[in-house]
Structures are given as C-alpha cells and as structure tokens.
Amino acid sequence: MVWRCVSRLENTGLFCTASTILEDTLKEKIVEAINVAVSGKNTFLAILKKNIETVLSEDLDESTADIDKRLEELQTELIQKANLKEEYNNIVNEIYRLRDLRQETLSRNALRQDKRGRIAEMTDFLNTQTGDITEFDDKLVRKLVEKAIVYDDRLMVEFKSGLEIEVNL
C-alpha cells in the first residue's frame, strides 16, 4: 500500500509535488520520529514544560461571568423598554454582540484546554517511556501524532503537543 496526495487522485484545485511513499516506510519513519522524541526526552520535556507555561500564563482562561451579568442586565432593560414601547434596537444589537463574544470566549477556552491536554499526554508518554518503540502502534500514533508531511528527502512529524521532529527518508 502507498500514500499519496489526494490531489493526485481527485481534482482538489491544489497541486502536490510530494512523492508517493510506501505505507511501511511511512510507519517506519513515524516510529523513528517517536523514538527521536523518546531518546531526546530531556530536551523535549523542557520544551513541553515551556509550552505548558506559555499556554498557562499567556492564555489564561477567560471568565464569562462579566458577560453573563451584562447580558442579564440588558435582557431586563430590554423587557422594560418593550413594555413601555420604547426604542430597544441598540439593546438587542448589544445582546447579540455579547452573545457572540461569550461564544468566542468559550471556544478559546476550550482550545486552550485541549492544547494543555495534548501537551500533558505527550509529557506523560515521554516520562513513562523507558525504551525505543520497536513497531508501529496505530493507537499510540493516533494519540500522539497530529500529522506527517512528506518531502522529497524527509518526513516532518508534527505531534499533537506542537512538537515537530524531522527524519530523513
């Protein structure tokens, strides 16, 4: 079995120059990249620790409490104005804006939490791995690897934690 760009088989509008790669070679090189991470785990653990600190310090989860409080106030004001048959379009627009802001905030928080989880998974793996991986493990690869990019002479393996390792083909 071989792997190749989908644009070679379907008209995607994209042009791909990457070579076809045998599945066994792809698996072998992904295992090699995982072993590079394991053998250099002290270096990579330091990088992951720095990544965790960055995610925790720069991307603190944002509270929606203030937004929720303001939405409640605006909804009360909207009801009062509607009962008095006063103009309330500005209030409605502000409610829509705050609802969108609240959803964006929740989405950003979820992404940050996901990234923290991915970094923690890779850290746990490196901390518990005592030796090289000897064969391809689909479950492990799906847990750790985000994607692999094939170039003419190398393979770039991007882990879900953000760690990238390049191996020669």
Side-chain angles (χ1 to χ4, degrees), residues 67-101:
I67 295 171
D68 293 339
K69 182 180 177 195
R70 183 64 183 140
L71 277 169
E72 191 175 309
E73 291 168 356
L74 286 170
Q75 287 167 352
T76 301
E77 189 177 336
L78 175 65
I79 291 169
Q80 290 170 350
K81 287 198 179 276
N83 287 338
L84 296 172
K85 301 203 184 327
E86 293 181 11
E87 175 60 36
Y88 54 79
N89 283 339
N90 289 341
I91 295 171
V92 171
N93 290 339
E94 182 66 3
I95 288 173
Y96 285 139
R97 187 190 72 77
L98 288 172
R99 284 181 180 168
D100 288 345
L101 178 61

Side-chain angles (χ1 to χ4, degrees), residues 30-39 125 133 140-141 144-145 159:
I30 290 174
V31 167
E32 184 179 332
I34 292 172
N35 286 331
V36 167
V38 169
S39 67
F125 170 74
I133 304 297
L140 176 66
V141 170
L144 296 178
V145 176
F159 292 89

Side-chain angles (χ1 to χ4, degrees), residues 60-64 67-68 71 96-112:
L60 293 175
D61 288 346
E62 302 169 50
S63 172
T64 60
I67 295 171
D68 293 339
L71 277 169
Y96 285 139
R97 187 190 72 77
L98 288 172
R99 284 181 180 168
D100 288 345
L101 178 61
R102 183 179 192 283
Q103 188 57 45
E104 289 169 17
T105 301
L106 292 173
S107 293
R108 281 192 308 270
N109 289 347
L111 288 172
R112 282 192 275 288

